[in-house]
């Protein structure tokens, strides 16, 4: 496993960091979902959280296994960084935060679209 991490392209490393941050953010904000589950067993935010949690874990697992199916899933998860730009722009962070979010999205998606990153997913 350590050898695989050493030869991993930077685009994949950055994606795994991004996906790990998504999981951490979901974990930190999970009490909000739990509080709503007390009032109603099914809530829209709870469904979104569970879908994003399952999708993230499944994609990370496939990426670490170098499966070919992981590439489009990882690219789709990376595109979730694009709505972050207008959300941050409208928040108190304003334009500087939106520029940082845009750079994050460009580096993440650009890193995944590189030929070396795409060729890293070789397992069937």
């Amino acid at each position: 496993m350590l050898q695989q991490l050493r030869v991993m392209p930077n685009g994949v490393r950055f994606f795994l960091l991004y996906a790990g941050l998504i999981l951490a953010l979901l974990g930190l904000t999970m009490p909000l979902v739990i509080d709503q589950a007390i009032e109603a067993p099914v809530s829209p935010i709870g469904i979104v959280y569970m879908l994003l949690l399952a999708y993230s874990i499944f994609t990370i697992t496939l990426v670490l296994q170098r499966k070919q199916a992981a590439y489009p899933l990882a690219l789709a998860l990376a595109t979730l960084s694009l709505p972050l730009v207008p959300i941050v722009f409208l928040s108190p962070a304003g334009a500087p935060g939106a520029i940082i979010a845009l750079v994050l999205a460009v580096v993440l998606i650009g890193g995944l679209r590189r030929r070396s990153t795409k060729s890293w997913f070789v397992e069937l």
Side-chain angles (χ1 to χ4, degrees), residues 50-108:
M50 293 304 115
L51 287 174
L52 188 55
L53 186 65
Y55 186 79
S56 299
I57 292 171
F58 182 68
T59 303
I60 290 171
T61 303
L62 288 181
V63 166
L64 290 175
Q65 293 175 4
R66 300 180 66 179
K67 299 290 185 184
Q68 288 178 354
Y71 180 72
L73 293 174
L75 203 53
L77 188 60
T79 59
L80 289 179
S81 63
L82 292 174
L84 187 63
V85 176
I87 291 170
V88 171
F89 181 73
L90 296 174
S91 75
I99 291 171
I100 293 171
L102 182 63
V103 168
L104 168 78
V106 168
V107 169
L108 183 62

Side-chain angles (χ1 to χ4, degrees), residues 7-8 10 13 19 24 37-39 53 55 60 84 99 108-109 115 122:
V7 297
M8 185 181 295
N10 286 333
R13 285 188 187 122
I38 293 170
E39 297 170 12
L53 186 65
Y55 186 79
I60 290 171
L84 187 63
I99 291 171
L108 183 62
I109 295 171
R115 188 179 309 254
V122 294

